[in-house]
Amino acid sequence: LDDEPLFGKNIIRFSGKLAIRDSVALQSLAQLHVGCVSFLMHTARAVNVPSVIIYGGRETPKNSGYENNENIYTNTHCSPCWLHDSIGDVCSYDIHCMSEITPNRVIYSIRKLVDRNLARSLPFAE
C-alpha cells in the first residue's frame, strides 16, 4: 500500500504483498508482535508469538484480549465506545484514549513482556 509509512532503508514492508497464510507463516517466525486489536493479534496468539496490544478505549481486553499478552487499555469516561471510523463513526473527544498511550508506555510493556518470557525460559536452580 502506498500510504504505509516508511521506517528506514533496512526495513522490509510486506503490507499488501502477502496472502493471509503467508502473513501468518512469517509472523510465526517473530519473537514479538506489537499491534492493535486486529486479525494479526489473533494470529499471533494462534502461533504462540508474545504480543503487546494497543487497545486505546474502543474496546477492552476483557472483550477480546488474551491473558498472556500485554494489553494496553485506556479507561476513560467514554470507553469502551465501540466507535469504528471505517463505518463513519467520529470520536467527540478527539481520540483522547489513544493520545494517553505514549511511546514510553508501549516500550515499558514490551520490556515487561520480554522479561516475563525470558524468566519462563530460564531453568530454575534447585
Side-chain angles (χ1 to χ4, degrees), residues 26-53:
L26 184 61
Q27 187 181 40
S28 72
L29 302 174
Q31 293 178 345
L32 176 71
H33 170 78
V34 179
C36 59
V37 179
S38 66
F39 175 74
L40 289 177
M41 169 187 87
H42 298 295
T43 59
R45 180 64 191 117
V47 295
N48 295 316
V49 173
S51 299
V52 173
I53 304 300

Side-chain angles (χ1 to χ4, degrees), residues 77-92:
H77 71 282
C78 53
S79 63
C81 65
W82 296 100
L83 294 178
H84 199 288
D85 68 354
S86 69
I87 58 172
D89 291 338
V90 177
C91 175
S92 301

